[in-house]
Amino acid sequence: MEAGRQHNGVTKVNTIESQKQINNNVDESSGVTGSHTLIAVKSSSDNHLDPDVSQAASMMSTPVHRPGEPDGDDSSSMNLEEETPIDDSEFNIPPLDFEPTLESILNDLDVDSLSEEDALAGPTQEFSDIAIQQLGGIPESSDTVSIVSKGSSDNRSRSSSRSCRPKSTITNTKKPNSILRHVVLKAITSQINSATEKINAGTATAMCLGSFVAIGTSHGFVIVFDVLQAVKWCLGDTEHRESGGSVSSLTINSNGNRLLVGYAKGLILMYDLTNGKLIRNIPDAHAAATAVLTLRFTDLPDLALCGDSGGSVFELNFKRTIGLRSCVSRCIFSGSRGEVCSFEPLLLSTVSDNPLSKFVLVAFATLSKIIVVMIRPKLKVLFTHTLICDLTTLPLVCWQMVIIQTTLNEKIVDPVLSFARHNTIAFYQTTLDSKSSVQFLPLRSVTVGYSLLNMHWLNARTLALVDVKETLRILDVRSQEELERVDLSATRLVYSSSHYKGLATGGNVSKAFALAGERACYNSVLCHNNQIIVLGTRSVHALTMRLWHERLDYLVRQHHYVDAIQLGYELYVEKAKAVLGLKGSKDSKRLIVRDKLLYILDRYVDRIPLLNFMDDLSTARQRYHDVISTCVNYYALLDHQDPIFEKIYDFCADNPFSKSAYLESLEPFLLNDQLSHMPPIIVKDFVTHYDEIENYRALEACIVHFNIASLDIHQTMKLCWTQGLYDAIIYIFNQGMGDYLTPLEELMTELISAISAEVRLTDSQVVLGNKILVYISCCLAGRAYPFGNIAKNLVEKVQTDIFQIITALHSRNSTENEQSYPYLRTFLHFDTREFLNVMSLSFEEPIFQSELGKRQKQRIVDILLQVMVEQGNFTTTQVGILFTFIAQQMAKSDSSLFVSKLLFEQVLEHLTSGNETCRIDERQEALMELLQAGGFQHFEHDKILQKCLKAKFYRVCELLYERKNEYPQIIECYLLDEARKHQVFSFLHKIFCLIPQKKEIFQSKVMDHLEELIEIDNKKCAQVVYLHLGNLIPDLVKSLDSKSNSQYSFLQGVFYTREQNQNNIQVDVSTTENYITLMCHFNPQLVYPFLKTIESYRNEKMLQVCGKHKLVDAMVYLLEKDDRLNDAFQLMMDQFQCKLKLIFEDIEKLAMESSSFQTVLSSITWNQLQAIFLVMIQFSQRNSPKLPPDEKEKLWLPLLQLLIAAHNKFQSREDISTSFNEMNKHLLGSMMGHVSLPTIVEVYLNNPSYQTATFGEIRELITGMLETCTYEEIMVDLVKKITQSDVHDKMKVKLNSVRKGISARNYNCLECQSNIVDFSDDEAELVVFQ
């Protein structure tokens, strides 16, 4: 066979064979003849087709033997002419320097030199390898090839991003699919279409991948292609095609030399792919009249598996004895136990060192379960998992070797079983335990937002999912992030629905199997190591994962630079997903990616000048900012700053828009100290630009991050003083001149002027004061301002100088009127508390721990006392803050401070004096801080308590009482303090729990102040009493007899607490009755609801109390409770008549005034009448079942007669009459079933107004009765049927259980425990019964 030659992307294979070779059915020549036929359908070599193909195409009459067919008559092929090789010069085929190999194809990467027009003009030149490590060399230029039939020009792949339109200079906004390269395998596609047209091969139905690509058709043909997309074999003779029907499943073994073909009518054939011969015909390997749905080889060369449309799975054991090939099948899973839709064996031939390689494991996917079975060394079920999902979806299952992190530094490689149905995917690790048993460990479960159609692993971290809308989705398993999606709807995906419905075998499949198989595509979407092959009805598609650098190159070619750069940086920091081809050590990979990323950045920077030609200025400005920011960001992240200050700056310097965008894009990186060493010219431009746009806050923040050597000091200082950029001023003085005093003196001058003006400080002045406080705090702590540290050799000098400035008697440029210690005084006036906090922190520094430092601390304390206490002009709060600060310093163990006790007495007098009543909270807070900071040792307890009581400092009093354990007095402090009186209950709870030994004292206090506590919160008061003094509730209630209001509030709280605690509080009858009596007086509307919730009262007494207060609803309830139904009904009847009388009076009044009667129907009285009416009906319905007929009539008929009379009285008033008529209907409907119909009719007929009435006037009454009667009859029949049905069902279940056999579970009687079987007697009989 000649070497393959390539022309216009289609691989052509020529064969030179003799007539003898054809007649003797030489395997290789015959196979190539078949392949040549499909390739050269448009050439003059059509007269060399095989006999079946020739007859189907009507092209020749002399048959040629196809591989595997039995030899025929030699004379039939003797006149066949020898094939003539293709003339290279005729077809302009260039000569080949060497024959292409698999390795050369794999190493043939994207052809960048091809123009876009060339890419569109010709078909794919090479077909990638489909075995492991194959399908990797498809040229990038074929990304634009149509994914449908050859003649289509509009239906382009959604994953393709190339176009024939002119390229824009602006980066595309839509991110392309960079992970997958989607191409049409045009050579295979054209051969399949040619076979369909020329030899009536039918449409593609199934496909398998291995060392070859085999595609089966609906007319029984199998076309095998090699890695160059050239036809290797055309398999399937007439007899087998007719007996087998369409090809339903295919599989190639791991060695690539055997092909199993399954047909829709149940036939299975095996071919030798080295010569194309049929070597096994297996017609009866599985159940008869069932289609072959799934075929799979295992790692064992003599073992394969077959699944049929009956849901059963069979193992096929291939044997060869004395040159004779045979196949022995065995059913390993019956469809009667659950129909298997698909299965996948675990293939470990490439990882033979894995401990699981000694087993043959297969995962079955049934309609309801996932089952993993061990076939070798013995048949055993290892794992099951129930699937509960949509019945219209099929289960999916696949295996993948995955690296799994077991511990911090240990990883293992184990197979992972993944299975899915509908929208749920589960992952289980398969491993061996310590006993060498196979274990399945759950890893995770993922739920997606779509229904799944197909699932395959692309690599150990990436899943390819196809949903029911034929969208391919790439999912990162660890992060559960969807990385990419490709629309496959234009591929016209091949479905195996007819095979799952068993159409070729008479439709003998279950309904559930047929329903789920509507979208079966197990054999049309396949995957092999980083590639997905999709079989369409008219085309074959390959979706290949790009290598990491191919993804970057592809994005760059599509002008998606930002996406490419972002992906490159994710690769650099090892956060990218779906990465392929990046190998080596961590450092080497980072170096490779960094070089590639810098190259892309340089190309992106080269595009900046192109933005100058954009028409829209606003768009151009935004584009400048986006492009430059991106470049600067990633150059800074990669620590490669030279292009930022050279190449990018040169591009942007001449254009004001680009220069502005460039300078502003530097800001975030300056603030992060990523661009600290900038050239002076750029720094100067930066300062000038921010001055022009008046963005001074951002400029100030950036200046303190500049290298001081890059700043123009004169320009910057002038701008800073003008705009008040104090941080920048301090930074330049400190870092540029090494001067820490001058900026403090200069800034203090401004703050002194602001304070001395005695007006409210502006926001900028407050900011200045705060910055100065932070600055002196940093200096005294040895830190640089605003960040960093002062040089170690300067720390002590800076601390000393700053301390001297603070305590200076006068400023440098003092006047005669200047007060002493101006700096210290200014700080105290600005913010006393914060300044003293700064001093407190500085006192912790080592400089103040020496003898000299301690004297310095004493000196500053003396100065503070002199300035704030002796010379005055400070508020009480400020003085309190000072003494708090002093007390804190004196309370320290190593303190050597001395302060006169007389000063503390003066402070106490000052704080507790009543001169500033409006600021009592501030004065009390200051005294609290002073005492808590250690001030107790400076005061006498009784004296301070007396003064605090007088000043109403109850919080301080509480603190003092607590120190002496006088807790009862604290209760009074809470009660006297208006702001905190509600907190007394929390305090009572706490002391009752923490100090139970003093319970009697606290009890006495509670009783003394009970009324005050009730007034504050009666519910909380009752809660305290219930929790801690429950036995005193009657006594406490009695003590409040003279204060009925307080007594009622307290009892209300008690019963509320009882309700919240689910009636755990025991309340005696007298207390309950007392509460109800008080409720009748204070809240009568609550009596009736309360009576229904409680039982601890005497009905007679409560009836008298309620009668005294005329609470009818409560009296009715009590009478009904005593079964005095007539009395209760009469009360309601009297109330109803009273309201009815008022209604009559209102109607007559309106009639005299000739006003509308609608006001009566919307009045409060009418609403009350309606409410009473409904209550009476409910009362009668509730009590009628337990009364005799004559007593029932007494509950219903008086009300009916009253309504009839009211209706008749106002019969001429339509609106009034209609309202009473509605009430009448409601009453009639309610009393049906309680009062006999003749009695009701008699009432109506005895009424004078109805004695002379016509049928039309009483028609509604009669009709309503008949409807009610009919309804009741229907309900009775319905209940009867339901009862009979239940009895029948129970009887059926009982009969079924009786008819079943009973097996004895043991040989002992459950009652007497004696042996029930005598093993010595062979004729013994045993009767087992339930």
Side-chain angles (χ1 to χ4, degrees):
M1 182 175 65
E2 280 188 8
R5 291 182 173 85
Q6 298 177 355
H7 176 63
N8 291 335
V10 179
T11 304
K12 300 186 177 181
V13 181
N14 298 328
T15 57
I16 303 175
E17 23 184 24
S18 64
Q19 184 67 42
K20 181 179 180 180
Q21 287 174 319
I22 299 177
N23 293 335
N24 292 332
N25 196 18
V26 178
D27 299 329
E28 183 179 4
S29 61
S30 299
V32 177
T33 301
S35 66
H36 175 71
T37 301
L38 291 181
I39 293 173
V41 291
K42 296 185 180 180
S43 68
S44 59
S45 60
D46 290 343
N47 57 343
H48 299 289
L49 301 174
D50 79 19
D52 297 322
V53 176
S54 305
Q55 293 170 11
S58 301
M59 301 178 70
M60 64 176 295
S61 59
T62 303
V64 178
H65 289 292
R66 184 177 276 100
E69 290 188 5
D71 293 339
D73 186 1
D74 291 344
S75 62
S76 65
S77 58
M78 289 299 293
N79 297 327
L80 189 66
E81 297 181 1
E82 183 176 340
E83 180 181 359
T84 304
I86 294 177
D87 187 358
D88 291 353
S89 60
E90 178 184 355
F91 293 98
N92 194 23
I93 300 176
L96 290 175
D97 296 332
F98 61 93
E99 182 176 353
T101 64
L102 175 60
E103 184 179 0
S104 66
I105 294 172
L106 288 174
N107 293 330
D108 187 11
L109 301 179
D110 296 350
V111 185
D112 293 333
S113 59
L114 287 178
S115 67
E116 192 159 334
E117 290 76 11
D118 293 336
L120 290 171
T124 308
Q125 290 185 336
E126 297 169 338
F127 177 57
S128 50
D129 195 350
I130 308 178
I132 297 175
Q133 299 290 337
Q134 294 174 348
L135 285 172
I138 300 174
E140 187 69 35
S141 61
S142 61
D143 274 356
T144 56
V145 178
S146 173
I147 62 173
V148 289
S149 58
K150 184 176 179 181
S152 176
S153 60
D154 297 327
N155 297 328
R156 303 178 64 82
S157 169
R158 286 174 170 79
S159 65
S160 172
S161 54
R162 292 193 176 189
S163 174
C164 294
R165 299 175 182 174
K167 297 179 180 179
S168 172
T169 58
I170 302 176
T171 303
N172 296 333
T173 57
K174 182 180 178 181
K175 183 177 179 179
N177 293 336
S178 67
I179 297 176
L180 294 179
R181 176 197 293 116
H182 184 179
V183 297
V184 178
L185 302 180
K186 291 186 289 186
I188 293 180
T189 298
S190 62
Q191 298 289 3
I192 296 296
N193 293 334
S194 178
T196 301
E197 296 170 1
K198 299 298 183 181
I199 64 173
N200 193 25
T203 58
T205 57
M207 172 179 62
C208 70
L209 306 177
S211 299
F212 301 91
V213 177
I215 297 177
T217 69
S218 58
H219 291 174
F221 285 94
V222 178
I223 306 171
V224 183
F225 299 88
D226 63 13
V227 295
L228 299 176
Q229 299 190 61
V231 176
K232 183 70 175 175
W233 311 109
C234 180
L235 309 173
D237 57 26
T238 304
E239 179 185 353
H240 294 144
R241 294 201 306 272
E242 291 178 354
S243 61
S246 65
V247 177
S248 55
S249 183
L250 301 160
T251 184
I252 298 175
N253 66 354
S254 58
N255 295 329
N257 59 359
R258 293 290 184 269
L259 170 67
L260 272 179
V261 182
Y263 290 87
K265 293 183 180 180
L267 179 64
I268 300 176
L269 303 177
M270 177 183 280
Y271 289 94
D272 186 345
L273 291 181
T274 61
N275 53 30
K277 281 187 176 181
L278 174 66
I279 59 177
R280 283 186 176 88
N281 185 341
I282 314 171
D284 54 355
H286 58 97
T290 56
V292 179
L293 298 183
T294 311
L295 288 171
R296 294 291 185 270
F297 277 104
T298 65
D299 282 335
L300 300 179
D302 59 347
L303 179 63
L305 300 171
C306 164
D308 61 20
S309 59
S312 299
V313 180
F314 297 80
E315 67 174 33
L316 307 178
N317 295 281
F318 304 115
K319 298 182 179 181
R320 186 169 183 175
T321 306
I322 318 177
L324 297 177
R325 293 184 174 91
S326 62
C327 176
V328 178
S329 67
R330 179 179 65 146
C331 180
I332 60 175
F333 191 91
S334 173
S336 61
R337 294 180 295 174
E339 295 164 304
V340 175
C341 302
S342 178
F343 57 83
E344 287 294 336
L346 175 58
L347 303 178
L348 298 173
S349 58
T350 57
V351 284
S352 57
D353 58 338
N354 192 287
L356 289 170
S357 59
K358 61 184 179 181
F359 303 107
V360 177
L361 306 182
V362 184
F364 297 143
T366 73
L367 289 173
S368 59
K369 289 183 179 180
I370 296 294
I371 305 173
V372 181
V373 177
M374 178 197 299
I375 298 180
R376 296 290 188 274
K378 64 178 181 179
L379 190 62
K380 181 181 180 182
V381 176
L382 302 176
F383 171 79
T384 61
H385 187 280
T386 303
L387 301 175
I388 303 175
C389 293
D390 185 1
L391 297 179
T392 61
T393 59
L394 279 171
L396 309 171
V397 63
C398 55
W399 299 87
Q400 174 67 29
M401 300 300 294
V402 176
I403 300 175
I404 299 174
Q405 188 93 27
T406 56
T407 61
L408 185 61
N409 298 318
E410 183 180 355
K411 297 179 181 179
I412 61 173
V413 180
D414 271 341
V416 168
L417 170 67
S418 56
F419 52 88
R421 191 173 184 187
H422 187 39
N423 64 346
T424 303
I425 311 170
F427 301 89
Y428 280 78
Q429 176 187 355
T430 308
T431 186
L432 290 180
D433 60 11
S434 58
K435 298 180 181 180
S436 297
S437 299
V438 181
Q439 297 291 323
F440 290 84
L441 309 177
L443 296 177
R444 68 173 57 187
S445 179
V446 177
T447 301
V448 295
Y450 40 85
S451 187
L452 293 173
L453 196 64
N454 201 288
M455 175 179 70
H456 288 288
W457 287 88
L458 280 172
N459 59 28
R461 287 191 55 175
T462 311
L463 270 179
L465 306 174
V466 181
D467 64 19
V468 293
K469 295 183 179 179
E470 298 185 0
T471 300
L472 174 65
R473 302 168 187 266
I474 306 302
L475 182 74
D476 183 77
V477 176
R478 294 185 185 177
S479 64
Q480 302 181 24
E481 176 187 355
E482 184 179 297
L483 306 178
E484 194 167 287
R485 65 175 66 180
V486 180
D487 187 0
L488 299 179
S489 58
T491 64
R492 300 174 65 187
L493 188 63
V494 171
Y495 291 97
S496 304
S497 307
S498 61
H499 303 148
Y500 278 79
K501 293 180 179 180
L503 299 183
T505 56
N508 54 344
V509 299
S510 68
K511 293 183 179 180
F513 201 69
L515 177 64
E518 280 288 345
R519 288 184 169 270
C521 58
Y522 294 120
N523 297 316
S524 50
V525 180
L526 303 178
C527 183
H528 252 295
N529 278 15
N530 315 322
Q531 286 200 334
I532 303 167
I533 306 300
V534 179
L535 180 64
T537 56
R538 298 284 294 174
S539 56
V540 182
H541 303 257
L543 294 100
T544 310
M545 282 187 69
R546 291 185 174 93
L547 300 176
W548 68 272
H549 57 83
E550 292 176 341
R551 291 175 64 184
L552 296 175
D553 294 339
Y554 177 70
L555 290 171
V556 170
R557 283 196 300 273
Q558 302 300 316
H559 306 298
H560 288 269
Y561 286 92
V562 176
D563 295 323
I565 293 168
Q566 182 179 356
L567 174 60
Y569 187 72
E570 289 176 356
L571 290 165
Y572 180 73
V573 297
E574 298 184 338
K575 291 185 178 180
K577 299 177 178 65
V579 180
L580 187 64
L582 187 57
K583 299 180 180 180
S585 65
K586 183 176 181 179
D587 293 336
S588 64
K589 288 191 292 186
R590 286 173 64 91
L591 183 61
I592 294 171
V593 174
R594 184 177 186 273
D595 292 340
K596 182 71 174 179
L597 186 53
L598 289 176
Y599 169 75
I600 297 174
L601 281 168
D602 290 341
R603 290 190 58 180
Y604 195 33
V605 171
D606 292 338
R607 296 174 58 82
I608 293 177
L610 300 177
L611 301 176
N612 295 332
F613 302 99
M614 296 183 66
D615 297 332
D616 188 353
L617 294 181
S618 61
T619 304
R621 184 181 290 107
Q622 184 62 39
R623 295 293 301 127
Y624 276 126
H625 183 271
D626 295 342
V627 173
I628 296 171
S629 296
T630 300
C631 294
V632 173
N633 180 27
Y634 287 99
Y635 273 128
L637 290 173
L638 296 174
D639 195 22
H640 187 67
Q641 300 183 9
D642 291 343
I644 300 175
F645 305 131
E646 296 174 1
K647 190 174 183 179
I648 300 179
Y649 181 74
D650 293 341
F651 280 146
C652 300
D654 297 331
N655 187 306
F657 293 119
S658 60
K659 187 174 182 180
S660 172
Y662 170 76
L663 295 172
E664 292 174 11
S665 66
L666 300 178
E667 179 185 333
F669 308 102
L670 288 169
L671 298 177
N672 292 330
D673 290 326
Q674 293 176 280
L675 302 174
S676 55
H677 299 285
M678 289 175 58
I681 183 64
I682 299 179
V683 174
K684 184 175 182 179
D685 290 344
F686 184 90
V687 174
T688 303
H689 173 68
Y690 273 72
D691 184 21
E692 291 174 353
I693 64 175
E694 298 183 356
N695 191 356
Y696 298 113
R697 297 278 73 82
L699 176 60
E700 181 181 28
C702 291
I703 288 175
V704 299
H705 291 271
F706 282 130
N707 187 340
I708 201 69
S710 301
L711 283 169
D712 184 333
I713 301 297
H714 175 73
Q715 174 202 25
T716 308
M717 288 297 288
K718 181 179 179 181
L719 176 63
C720 291
W721 281 114
T722 303
Q723 301 300 331
L725 309 183
Y726 305 119
D727 286 351
I729 293 171
I730 295 173
Y731 175 75
I732 293 173
F733 269 110
N734 293 168
Q735 303 298 324
M737 308 175 191
D739 187 351
Y740 290 85
L741 298 182
T742 302
L744 178 58
E745 291 178 336
E746 296 289 343
L747 297 178
M748 281 301 297
T749 302
E750 293 192 16
L751 185 59
I752 289 172
S753 300
I755 296 293
S756 61
E758 296 184 356
V759 295
R760 184 181 179 84
L761 297 179
T762 63
D763 292 342
S764 61
Q765 290 169 343
V766 172
V767 169
L768 171 61
N770 290 329
K771 287 181 181 293
I772 295 174
L773 285 174
V774 176
Y775 175 63
I776 63 172
S777 177
C778 290
C779 291
L780 291 173
R783 298 191 302 273
Y785 180 84
F787 52 84
N789 294 302
I790 301 173
K792 291 184 179 180
N793 59 334
L794 297 177
V795 172
E796 187 173 348
K797 180 179 182 304
V798 171
Q799 290 174 333
T800 303
D801 292 343
I802 295 297
F803 186 77
Q804 290 177 353
I805 287 291
I806 294 173
T807 59
L809 186 60
H810 290 287
S811 61
R812 179 180 299 179
N813 302 318
S814 61
T815 62
E816 294 181 358
N817 298 328
E818 185 182 74
Q819 292 181 309
S820 59
Y821 306 106
Y823 297 134
L824 186 63
R825 193 181 298 272
T826 300
F827 284 130
L828 292 171
H829 279 294
F830 175 72
D831 194 328
T832 307
R833 189 184 301 277
E834 290 303 322
F835 173 69
L836 294 178
N837 286 340
V838 169
M839 299 310 301
S840 179
L841 291 174
S842 64
F843 284 173
E844 302 297 327
E845 295 298 321
I847 191 175
F848 291 103
Q849 304 306 317
S850 62
E851 289 298 325
L852 178 60
K854 292 180 180 180
R855 289 197 294 271
Q856 294 284 10
K857 284 198 291 186
Q858 182 66 54
R859 178 170 177 266
I860 197 168
V861 168
D862 293 339
I863 294 173
L864 289 170
L865 290 171
Q866 177 184 345
V867 170
M868 296 189 69
V869 179
E870 297 177 8
Q871 298 180 2
N873 199 23
F874 287 91
T875 65
T876 302
T877 302
Q878 289 175 314
V879 174
I881 293 171
L882 169 63
F883 277 89
T884 301
F885 164 74
I886 295 174
Q888 289 173 343
Q889 297 302 316
M890 295 178 66
K892 294 180 180 179
S893 58
D894 59 346
S895 174
S896 59
L897 293 178
F898 172 77
V899 178
S900 173
K901 191 173 182 180
L902 181 61
L903 288 174
F904 281 96
E905 295 290 344
Q906 292 177 357
V907 171
L908 176 61
E909 186 67 30
H910 183 67
L911 292 175
T912 57
S913 63
N915 298 330
E916 300 182 35
T917 54
C918 61
R919 306 182 67 179
I920 186 172
D921 291 335
E922 292 183 14
R923 292 186 288 113
Q924 182 174 209
E925 186 66 30
L927 183 56
M928 283 283 293
E929 291 182 4
L930 176 59
L931 295 175
Q932 290 173 345
F936 284 106
Q937 59 184 330
H938 304 290
F939 303 103
E940 296 179 6
H941 180 273
D942 295 337
K943 184 176 181 180
I944 190 174
L945 179 60
Q946 182 181 1
K947 288 184 174 294
C948 289
L949 287 172
K950 183 178 179 182
K952 298 183 180 180
F953 287 3
Y954 297 116
R955 291 175 57 194
V956 180
C957 293
E958 179 186 351
L959 185 64
L960 296 172
Y961 284 134
E962 189 174 2
R963 285 177 63 86
K964 297 186 68 176
N965 295 329
E966 297 179 359
Y967 296 103
Q969 302 301 322
I970 298 178
I971 299 175
E972 295 186 358
C973 291
Y974 276 102
L975 295 174
L976 292 172
D977 192 344
E978 290 293 331
R980 299 193 309 144
K981 61 169 55 178
H982 286 83
Q983 300 176 20
V984 66
F985 303 106
S986 300
F987 176 75
L988 287 171
H989 281 302
K990 183 173 69 174
I991 62 173
F992 271 117
C993 294
L994 297 179
I995 316 173
Q997 63 272 19
K998 295 186 177 181
K999 182 177 181 180
E1000 295 182 358
I1001 300 176
F1002 303 144
Q1003 174 182 317
S1004 176
K1005 278 289 182 184
V1006 169
M1007 296 184 69
D1008 292 342
H1009 299 282
L1010 182 60
E1011 290 186 44
E1012 298 176 61
L1013 293 172
I1014 293 172
E1015 186 179 355
I1016 294 172
D1017 193 322
N1018 63 325
K1019 295 178 181 178
K1020 290 184 178 180
C1021 176
Q1023 187 180 31
V1024 170
V1025 172
Y1026 160 66
L1027 292 175
H1028 306 289
L1029 306 171
N1031 57 335
L1032 296 180
I1033 290 178
D1035 297 334
L1036 294 175
V1037 172
K1038 189 174 181 180
S1039 67
L1040 296 171
D1041 284 342
S1042 59
K1043 305 288 179 57
S1044 59
N1045 196 356
S1046 298
Q1047 189 180 47
Y1048 173 68
S1049 296
F1050 178 67
L1051 287 172
Q1052 189 179 37
V1054 169
F1055 281 94
Y1056 173 81
T1057 306
R1058 180 178 182 273
E1059 181 182 351
Q1060 297 299 312
N1061 288 272
Q1062 299 180 349
N1063 300 329
N1064 288 333
I1065 300 178
Q1066 299 299 325
V1067 182
D1068 59 80
V1069 174
S1070 61
T1071 301
T1072 304
E1073 292 176 348
N1074 190 15
Y1075 177 53
I1076 296 173
T1077 304
L1078 292 170
M1079 189 184 296
C1080 290
H1081 177 70
F1082 292 103
N1083 282 314
Q1085 69 275 10
L1086 299 178
V1087 175
Y1088 171 57
F1090 179 75
L1091 289 173
K1092 295 195 297 183
T1093 61
I1094 199 166
E1095 296 293 336
S1096 56
Y1097 56 85
R1098 291 169 293 178
N1099 285 6
E1100 286 297 330
K1101 183 173 182 180
M1102 290 301 98
L1103 189 59
Q1104 295 175 4
V1105 172
C1106 294
K1108 180 181 179 181
H1109 292 85
K1110 298 181 180 179
L1111 301 180
V1112 176
D1113 51 353
M1115 293 173 66
V1116 169
Y1117 172 76
L1118 294 170
L1119 289 170
E1120 183 181 2
K1121 194 175 179 182
D1122 285 342
D1123 289 332
R1124 298 165 61 184
L1125 302 180
N1126 291 332
D1127 294 340
F1129 182 78
Q1130 190 59 46
L1131 276 176
M1132 290 187 288
M1133 194 68 179
D1134 294 342
Q1135 190 181 25
F1136 185 81
Q1137 290 176 334
C1138 181
K1139 296 296 180 184
L1140 193 60
K1141 183 178 179 181
L1142 295 176
I1143 293 293
F1144 289 167
E1145 293 175 356
D1146 291 341
I1147 293 173
E1148 292 174 357
K1149 183 178 180 181
L1150 291 173
M1152 294 175 61
E1153 298 175 356
S1154 300
S1155 300
S1156 173
F1157 295 103
Q1158 195 63 35
T1159 55
V1160 173
L1161 300 179
S1162 60
S1163 64
I1164 297 175
T1165 306
W1166 178 263
N1167 292 333
Q1168 292 174 345
L1169 180 71
Q1170 293 284 338
I1172 298 170
F1173 174 69
L1174 294 176
V1175 170
M1176 293 177 71
I1177 289 178
Q1178 294 170 0
F1179 174 85
S1180 300
Q1181 287 178 328
R1182 191 166 55 247
N1183 293 286
S1184 291
K1186 55 186 178 181
L1187 294 177
D1190 55 340
E1191 294 295 329
K1192 291 180 183 179
E1193 294 175 2
K1194 293 180 181 180
L1195 295 183
W1196 292 100
L1197 298 184
L1199 183 59
L1200 177 61
Q1201 293 170 349
L1202 195 61
L1203 286 177
I1204 292 174
H1207 173 265
N1208 295 336
K1209 182 175 182 179
F1210 299 101
Q1211 201 165 8
S1212 60
R1213 311 292 185 183
E1214 183 177 354
D1215 45 0
I1216 301 296
S1217 175
T1218 301
S1219 298
F1220 280 115
N1221 192 31
E1222 291 296 330
M1223 295 174 66
N1224 212 340
K1225 289 181 180 179
H1226 187 183
L1227 179 61
L1228 284 174
S1230 301
M1231 64 193 298
M1232 290 296 181
H1234 300 294
V1235 181
S1236 63
L1237 293 179
T1239 302
I1240 298 174
V1241 173
E1242 184 180 356
V1243 170
Y1244 272 92
L1245 295 179
N1246 289 336
N1247 189 281
S1249 61
Y1250 284 100
Q1251 290 178 354
T1252 59
T1254 62
F1255 176 76
E1257 294 175 348
I1258 63 172
R1259 183 180 58 185
E1260 291 185 2
L1261 171 65
I1262 302 301
T1263 303
M1265 291 181 178
L1266 292 176
E1267 289 178 353
T1268 303
C1269 182
T1270 304
Y1271 171 75
E1272 290 181 350
E1273 287 181 356
I1274 293 173
M1275 291 300 297
V1276 170
D1277 291 341
L1278 181 60
V1279 171
K1280 182 179 178 181
K1281 290 179 181 179
I1282 293 174
T1283 304
Q1284 292 174 346
S1285 176
D1286 289 344
V1287 172
H1288 177 271
D1289 291 342
K1290 289 183 179 180
M1291 181 62 70
K1292 182 179 179 182
V1293 172
K1294 187 67 176 176
L1295 289 174
N1296 289 338
S1297 63
V1298 169
R1299 289 169 182 169
K1300 290 182 179 179
I1302 303 172
S1303 62
R1305 298 185 180 275
N1306 51 53
Y1307 297 111
N1308 294 327
C1309 177
L1310 297 178
E1311 296 295 332
C1312 63
Q1313 301 300 320
S1314 60
N1315 195 331
I1316 59 177
V1317 177
D1318 186 2
F1319 293 99
S1320 62
D1321 187 1
D1322 295 336
E1323 298 181 357
E1325 294 183 357
L1326 175 66
V1327 178
V1328 182
F1329 56 90
Q1330 285 182 315

